[in-house]
Amino acid sequence: AQTVTQSQPEMSVQEAETVTLSCTYDTSENNYYLFWYKQPPSRQMILVIRQEAYKQQNATENRFSVNFQKAAKSFSLKISDSQLGDTAMYFCAFMKHGSQGAQKLVFGQGTRLTINP
Amino acid sequence: NAGVTQTPKFRILKIGQSMTLQCTQDMNHNYMYWYRQDPGMGLKLIYYSVGAGITDKGEVPNGYNVSRSTTEDFPLRLELAAPSQTSVYFCASGKLATSYEQYFGPGTRLTVT
């Protein structure tokens, strides 16, 4: 069974600093997707970034980038020039194939990130 | 384009009561999902649907039922509510196509006492 592990329950950095959130996963599949979702206090789940396992190039979205190490099954998120609005829970998620083409997400436990002014 | 909407936003149930959580999407997505999020945890999949009339169990289906009579709606039914079902419930939808992204509703906070 696929599992996703986030080993940092909480992190805290100063505004404008760079922070890296860790995620490891376990799977026997070769083709899959990995995601980072942000959940601010509003509870809304917001997609931050996505990585296709068949792509060697790490995904980037503005200040957000990932370090995808397929052999090590590691998928960390780097936030550069952190802003107060980045304060949220961050969830790493693995997408696995379900029946009839459904794509099911398996989530990690989350990392609570606080950006201090 | 409202995306994924869920009602109600909050609900308190007594043990043994039943209720239906509503979910509607207006993006013509084939795939719809129900997740629950317990305090301090990630989301876990309850049920999912690949299209009207087709549903299947996720990781934690016990105590719940679903139906999918239209593309837009995917209600989640709780029968005989128990304190263990106290959670935040998220509905999501997705289009298989190319992005594999799931779009989430705002969630329903349910308390069973």
Side-chain angles (χ1 to χ4, degrees):
Chain A
Q2 286 86 356
T3 58
V4 178
T5 302
Q6 293 178 249
S7 58
Q8 304 150 312
E10 294 189 28
M11 295 189 73
S12 178
V13 299
Q14 295 300 118
E15 192 175 9
E17 289 184 345
T18 294
V19 59
T20 299
L21 309 183
S22 301
C23 173
T24 59
Y25 59 94
D26 187 27
T27 183
S28 57
E29 296 185 16
N30 193 43
N31 294 320
Y32 49 87
Y33 284 72
L34 293 161
F35 302 85
W36 278 97
Y37 278 88
K38 170 185 176 180
Q39 187 179 43
S42 66
R43 275 200 329 241
Q44 183 70 45
M45 294 291 287
I46 302 165
L47 179 64
V48 175
I49 199 163
R50 169 179 59 236
Q51 174 77 43
E52 294 93 332
Y54 64 87
K55 289 187 177 179
Q56 292 187 339
Q57 187 174 4
N58 288 324
T60 61
E61 287 287 343
N62 301 315
R63 298 183 295 108
F64 299 88
S65 61
V66 299
N67 183 2
F68 174 49
Q69 302 288 329
K70 189 173 184 179
K73 297 180 182 175
S74 170
F75 182 60
S76 60
L77 174 70
K78 185 171 83 170
I79 306 174
S80 303
D81 186 26
S82 58
Q83 301 174 359
L84 297 179
D86 295 333
T87 293
M89 282 288 287
Y90 286 82
F91 292 98
C92 178
F94 173 95
M95 180 167 276
K96 66 176 184 177
H97 298 282
S99 65
Q100 303 185 70
Q103 307 296 327
K104 302 192 287 186
L105 287 172
V106 177
F107 285 85
Q109 308 93 316
T111 296
R112 183 176 302 280
L113 176 64
T114 302
I115 309 299
N116 298 308
Chain B
N1 197 346
V4 180
T5 57
Q6 293 182 236
T7 57
K9 287 187 169 53
F10 304 94
R11 183 71 185 268
I12 298 175
L13 280 182
K14 293 189 184 305
I15 294 171
Q17 287 185 322
S18 301
M19 76 163 295
T20 299
L21 280 66
Q22 301 292 344
C23 175
T24 300
Q25 53 93 8
D26 62 0
M27 296 174 283
N28 200 32
H29 286 167
N30 300 88
Y31 301 89
M32 295 188 74
Y33 307 84
W34 274 107
Y35 295 89
R36 61 176 286 174
Q37 183 180 26
D38 297 332
M41 302 294 289
L43 283 66
K44 292 187 177 180
L45 183 65
I46 305 171
Y47 269 96
Y48 65 97
S49 170
V50 302
I54 308 170
T55 63
D56 205 349
K57 296 177 181 178
E59 287 180 79
V60 289
N62 291 342
Y64 306 94
N65 278 300
V66 293
S67 59
R68 183 99 180 267
S69 57
T70 66
T71 300
E72 294 78 20
D73 301 307
F74 189 41
L76 177 71
R77 178 83 178 160
L78 278 72
E79 304 282 2
L80 298 174
S84 61
Q85 293 178 303
T86 293
S87 192
V88 179
Y89 292 83
F90 288 95
C91 179
S93 72
K95 191 170 184 178
L96 181 58
T98 55
S99 72
Y100 296 100
E101 180 176 351
Q102 291 186 14
Y103 298 81
F104 285 82
T108 294
R109 181 178 295 277
L110 175 67
T111 302
V112 182
T113 62

